[in-house]
Amino acid sequence: MLPISFARWAFSNGSKSGFQLTRHQFSTSTTIGAGFDKLGVIGLGLMGHGIAQTAAAAAAKSGIHSSIIAYESDPSFLERGRDRITKSVEKLVSKDKLSDSDADALIHKITFTTDRDALNDTDLIVEAIIENMDLKKQLYSDLGKQCKSETVFASNTSSLSITEMALASGRPEKFVGVHFFNPVQIMKLVEVIRTDHTDMALFDKTMKWVEQIGKVGVKCRDTPGFIVNRLLVPSIMQAMLLMERGDATINDVDLSMQLGAGHP
């Protein structure tokens, strides 16, 4: 669900078409080591458990991560996330899409914990908590103080400001967005978002990581809705208005987009 402020943010202070294009100068690159050895995932809900599972599968196969720390503050949420991953892996095994040995290797790559200090020495943390800016900013403020200075932060937000979270972390040059799509285990796309502060070598490293876990990354600067939702939400709104005015039926709108635009 997109924040209600999406439309106001997207069309504020713009040109006649509602948009204002500006040139941005991104942070210059520094020397960044190869690979993210230890991965942290915060939040094991709908998106987070899929991110942890996908990364663990890649780690078990190629060794890109020595370990994955899956964190939830609430024990019941942690167990729910563990159960989601276990059931997803068991389903793959039952369909002969994953061997028993590969399934075991995947599960053993993940350490489930309610101890946030376990994230302190991770190299990359992907956050997938609820879409609440105040909660995210507080989380990143805390992480910025407790994690080692090299730790990179990445938010899976679908539309909230990456810049605002980056500044709250106290290390904006080490902050990116990595917007996965649901279900993470199946959907190939990841929007990789940079701000004016993002170190470009780090950004390229994140793009490489996305590729290493079997996804296809697209680059975007921190702009409202990024790419997919920036295009998708207005089209959905127009479809709703067509039906509200009585201009077309639901069935005719669906058929038009399926047969005229190649939508599923």
Side-chain angles (χ1 to χ4, degrees), residues 182-211:
N182 181 50
V184 175
Q185 296 92 328
I186 296 174
M187 301 294 279
K188 298 293 288 185
L189 185 68
V190 178
E191 293 175 320
V192 184
I193 314 302
R194 60 186 181 182
T195 75
D196 292 353
H197 309 282
T198 304
D199 183 279
M200 289 307 297
L202 168 67
F203 184 77
D204 291 340
K205 182 177 177 179
T206 307
M207 286 289 296
K208 180 64 176 178
W209 172 74
V210 167
E211 178 185 337

Side-chain angles (χ1 to χ4, degrees), residues 79-93:
E79 288 309 309
R80 194 178 304 169
R82 188 203 305 265
D83 187 55
R84 276 176 158 165
I85 293 173
T86 300
K87 287 181 177 178
S88 178
V89 171
E90 288 174 347
K91 187 175 182 180
L92 291 172
V93 172

Side-chain angles (χ1 to χ4, degrees), residues 40-205:
V41 178
I42 299 179
L44 297 179
L46 187 64
M47 301 302 294
H49 91 275
I51 295 169
Q53 179 184 330
T54 299
K61 184 177 180 179
S62 66
I64 64 167
H65 298 303
S66 62
S67 64
I68 294 163
I69 307 300
Y71 168 79
E72 276 279 9
S73 59
D74 187 311
S76 64
F77 291 165
L78 184 72
E79 288 309 309
R80 194 178 304 169
R82 188 203 305 265
D83 187 55
R84 276 176 158 165
I85 293 173
T86 300
K87 287 181 177 178
S88 178
V89 171
E90 288 174 347
K91 187 175 182 180
L92 291 172
V93 172
S94 70
K95 292 184 175 182
D96 294 323
K97 294 184 177 181
L98 192 67
S99 68
D100 288 330
S101 60
D102 287 343
D104 288 340
L106 186 162
I107 294 297
H108 281 96
K109 277 289 181 180
I110 307 175
T111 298
F112 296 90
T113 183
T114 57
D115 179 10
R116 200 164 71 184
D117 286 342
L119 298 166
N120 290 355
D121 65 343
T122 53
D123 299 295
L124 171 66
I125 293 177
V126 178
E127 164 268 311
I129 67 172
I130 63 173
E131 292 284 66
N132 181 302
M133 179 60 86
D134 289 338
L135 289 178
K136 289 179 184 286
K137 286 170 65 175
Q138 184 59 59
L139 173 64
Y140 284 119
S141 176
D142 294 342
L143 290 173
K145 297 180 180 72
Q146 76 178 69
C147 294
K148 66 180 182 180
S149 61
E150 296 85 3
T151 303
V152 174
F153 300 147
S155 178
N156 179 58
T157 182
S158 63
S159 59
L160 294 178
S161 169
I162 300 297
T163 300
E164 196 170 340
M165 288 181 273
L167 293 174
S169 75
R171 53 179 79 179
E173 74 285 354
K174 293 185 174 71
F175 204 110
V176 295
V178 285
H179 180 213
F180 290 78
F181 291 80
N182 181 50
V184 175
Q185 296 92 328
I186 296 174
M187 301 294 279
K188 298 293 288 185
L189 185 68
V190 178
E191 293 175 320
V192 184
I193 314 302
R194 60 186 181 182
T195 75
D196 292 353
H197 309 282
T198 304
D199 183 279
M200 289 307 297
L202 168 67
F203 184 77
D204 291 340
K205 182 177 177 179

